[in-house]
Amino acid sequence: MKKAKLIIGFNRFRNKELLTKAQFILDSMIGNNNFETFASDLAKLKENVLNYALALSKAESRSMADVASMHQARKTLEEQLRDIALRVESHAKGDEVTLLSSGFSLAKNNLPIGILPKPENFTLEPHNKGTIDLSLDSIRGANSYQYEYKMVGTEIWNIKVGTKSKLTLNGLSSGAEYEFRVAGIGAAADRVYSDIIKSFIL
């Protein structure tokens, strides 16, 4: 039996529709006993929803600067929604009731079954203070990529989801050594990770 999954892409929403959806997700998760450990994520989501709402309102002026700010606010909001959706999926362990209670939409269960292959040519390139580029060969069948990283000696992996096979991470601790890994995200719930790579941050 296929494990229930969430739709983690938001490109289908028009600007005002995205605001409505994000607010619905926020309202659904705040005070929800299924997601008591998500407090910090939801506080940040609330901030990003408010920022996007303000940017959307200002963009009605049609000035180039305001429209550009709105697009950036939308990008930030979408990225966080994808990150939270992935955490919700992991937390719910396929339980459909828990997934639905989050306010996210369930993916249709008619996608082909297939575990994606192990990522190849996963490389790191530190540049600038606290910044590193991650890249890998594109994986056929992957609709996005789950990048994970943590400081050496710590236990919890930080998660970033991107639709491209390249990602730049910012705000890392200079001089610290980090571990990185990546997996493709496709129809199957299983994740096949790359080898773990370590790198010091400039």
Side-chain angles (χ1 to χ4, degrees):
M1 183 177 178
K2 294 181 182 179
K3 186 180 290 187
K5 295 181 64 180
L6 298 174
I7 297 174
I8 62 173
F10 299 89
N11 291 336
R12 68 191 187 282
F13 291 106
R14 296 180 180 179
N15 290 330
K16 290 185 178 180
E17 291 173 344
L18 177 64
L19 179 60
T20 300
K21 182 63 174 178
Q23 187 63 57
F24 177 69
I25 291 169
L26 184 62
D27 292 342
S28 298
M29 294 186 68
I30 288 178
N32 187 329
N33 292 334
N34 292 318
F35 307 110
E36 291 178 342
T37 60
F38 285 66
S40 60
D41 297 277
L42 296 179
K44 184 64 177 177
L45 179 59
K46 183 177 182 179
E47 178 183 335
N48 286 333
V49 168
L50 290 173
N51 289 341
Y52 180 61
L54 180 60
L56 201 57
S57 177
K58 287 184 176 180
E60 292 179 359
S61 69
R62 297 187 180 278
S63 79
M64 292 181 65
D66 287 339
V67 171
S69 294
M70 182 272 291
H71 286 312
Q72 182 57 50
R74 174 173 180 138
K75 179 182 178 184
T76 299
L77 179 59
E78 284 192 38
E79 287 176 350
Q80 197 200 4
L81 286 171
R82 281 194 292 269
D83 289 347
I84 292 177
L86 203 64
R87 278 202 63 203
V88 168
E89 271 192 354
S90 176
H91 179 74
K93 294 180 171 54
D95 182 72
E96 208 167 293
V97 174
T98 302
L99 290 172
L100 284 170
S101 75
S102 70
F104 287 96
S105 301
L106 279 181
K108 292 182 179 178
N109 213 9
N110 58 358
L111 294 172
I113 297 175
I115 298 175
L116 297 179
K118 182 178 179 178
E120 296 182 350
N121 295 325
F122 182 42
T123 59
L124 312 173
E125 186 177 348
H127 69 91
N128 298 329
K129 186 176 180 180
T131 302
I132 191 168
D133 290 334
L134 287 63
S135 65
L136 68 150
D137 290 346
S138 297
I139 300 175
R140 184 178 179 184
N143 53 50
S144 54
Y145 298 89
Q146 181 171 323
Y147 298 90
E148 300 189 4
Y149 63 99
K150 65 184 180 72
M151 194 179 293
V152 170
T154 61
E155 305 246 342
I156 300 175
W157 289 95
N158 299 290
I159 297 175
K160 282 285 185 181
V161 177
T163 56
K164 297 182 179 179
S165 58
K166 294 181 179 180
L167 181 76
T168 298
L169 292 175
N170 300 298
L172 303 181
S173 297
S174 295
E177 187 179 20
Y178 282 77
E179 295 177 310
F180 302 85
R181 66 182 184 182
V182 65
I185 300 175
D190 296 342
R191 302 280 186 265
V192 178
Y193 287 95
S194 66
D195 292 331
I196 294 174
I197 303 178
K198 297 180 180 180
S199 176
F200 284 94
I201 305 301
L202 298 177

